[in-house]
Amino acid sequence: MAAEWGRYGLRFNAIAPGPIETKGAFSRLDPTGQFRDNMLRSVPAGRMGEVEENANLAAYLLSDYSSWVSGAVVVLDGGNLPYMAGMFSQLTRVTQTLLVYLQQPIHRLPTVHNSHGPHCLQLSVCPLQVTKEQWDMMESMIRQTKGS
């Protein structure tokens, strides 16, 4: 619709809200609080949204400040959508030790030896095993990339 009606000055946008705890909805839909607790585990922001946050976004999208925004779907969910999308959501379980390790420049990374063998990064969910040859290949590829 944004493509068809934009020439007439009309804009079409949508807000895709995440979970917002309201007394009326949650007292009926989640009287025990189980849904809320499970949902919070999948929201990287660690909290439910607030009605005012949606109202502020709607006010912006209706204002002249967003006159060039059209055809957009704005996801307002505390990071829930990308978290639930998959593959990297397990990275929330990365330990502090592993995080410090991953933040080191490549040339300063020590050799890791543990029960999974050398160069294995132990995540709390499953091990990611990287051989010395794979490390060398990745480092070579990174160094050959323009701008790095």
Side-chain angles (χ1 to χ4, degrees):
M1 293 180 75
E4 296 169 10
W5 293 90
R7 64 180 145 185
Y8 301 109
L10 299 175
R11 296 182 294 126
F12 296 86
N13 297 297
I15 298 173
I20 297 174
E21 187 173 7
T22 60
K23 190 174 186 176
F26 272 67
S27 66
R28 291 178 185 93
L29 299 173
D30 186 30
T32 65
Q34 282 183 295
F35 172 77
R36 183 185 192 285
D37 294 342
N38 286 333
M39 178 56 68
L40 283 177
R41 285 189 212 110
S42 67
V43 178
R47 65 176 181 83
M48 298 283 187
E50 297 178 9
V51 172
E52 294 80 10
E53 292 169 317
N54 276 309
N56 290 336
L57 178 57
Y60 168 72
L61 290 172
L62 291 168
S63 76
D64 290 338
Y65 292 109
S66 68
S67 63
W68 210 43
V69 178
S70 189
V73 176
V74 182
V75 178
L76 187 63
D77 68 355
N80 178 254
L81 179 65
Y83 180 87
M84 297 302 287
M87 174 180 265
F88 295 105
S89 59
Q90 296 296 328
L91 291 178
T92 58
R93 298 182 184 178
V94 170
T95 64
Q96 185 63 32
T97 304
L98 180 56
L99 182 60
V100 169
Y101 180 84
L102 292 173
Q103 291 173 335
Q104 298 297 314
I106 287 176
H107 66 278
R108 292 178 50 202
L109 289 176
T111 301
V112 175
H113 293 280
N114 60 29
S115 62
H116 298 286
H119 302 328
C120 174
L121 306 179
Q122 177 71 44
L123 299 176
S124 64
V125 178
C126 63
L128 170 65
Q129 296 188 21
V130 181
T131 66
K132 179 170 179 7
E133 292 76 26
Q134 290 170 323
W135 274 115
D136 293 342
M137 180 185 69
M138 286 188 291
E139 181 178 3
S140 173
M141 289 170 55
I142 292 168
R143 292 189 186 282
Q144 291 174 11
T145 303
K146 284 186 173 185
S148 60

